[in-house]
Amino acid sequence: QVHLVESGGGLVQPGGSARLSCVASGVGLDHFAIGWFRQAPGKEREEVSCVSATDGTTHYGDSVKGRFTISRERDNAKITVYLQMNDLKPEDTAVYYCAAELFTCSPRAGDFGDWGQGTQVTVSA
């Protein structure tokens, strides 16, 4: 099981930037893909981005391609996955969650077994 803690959310103006962090701890971290999902009120949870465990391949949802960047760092017993978000839009407003799944990324939230508590991102003037 992987323990995940997100941070970095808040209020951002349209066109602005923010960086989310997800600190993962647990056994066998190097075998887990880490993904970011988001959920806005009344909407289903959707894929934002993911970085695989096997070769570091990154994936992005269509709505964030070219604006968001995911990266992964190893530091002793923890892995931190960052989500750099640029050119933010009001439609990016949501609770952002990080999640872990063995080896490879999936666009389906149901394929991820471990989840963080989420962090709110609000894009508004």
Side-chain angles (χ1 to χ4, degrees):
Q1 186 175 3
V2 179
H3 183 62
L4 303 157
V5 179
E6 305 97 333
S7 61
L11 176 64
V12 185
Q13 291 192 342
S17 298
R19 189 175 78 160
L20 304 182
S21 300
C22 171
V23 177
S25 57
V27 178
L29 288 176
D30 290 333
H31 301 301
F32 283 86
I34 305 293
W36 284 98
F37 290 79
R38 67 186 182 186
Q39 189 165 21
K43 295 187 176 181
E44 292 187 354
R45 197 166 292 191
E46 66 169 344
E47 177 196 32
V48 176
S49 186
C50 184
V51 54
S52 72
T54 51
D55 58 3
T57 303
T58 57
H59 304 260
Y60 296 93
D62 289 341
S63 61
V64 305
K65 283 180 181 176
R67 299 189 297 124
F68 290 12
T69 304
I70 192 170
S71 60
R72 176 178 176 137
E73 293 183 359
R74 189 69 152 95
D75 180 14
N76 294 326
K78 296 182 179 180
I79 287 177
T80 302
V81 176
Y82 299 101
L83 185 68
Q84 178 66 42
M85 307 184 295
N86 297 328
D87 189 23
L88 283 161
K89 304 176 181 182
E91 51 264 41
D92 294 317
T93 295
V95 178
Y96 284 70
Y97 300 89
C98 66
E101 178 58 16
L102 279 173
F103 304 124
T104 58
C105 292
S106 168
R108 296 179 296 273
D111 290 340
F112 287 74
D114 297 300
W115 290 83
Q117 82 287 351
T119 185
Q120 176 73 46
V121 174
T122 301
V123 184
S124 174

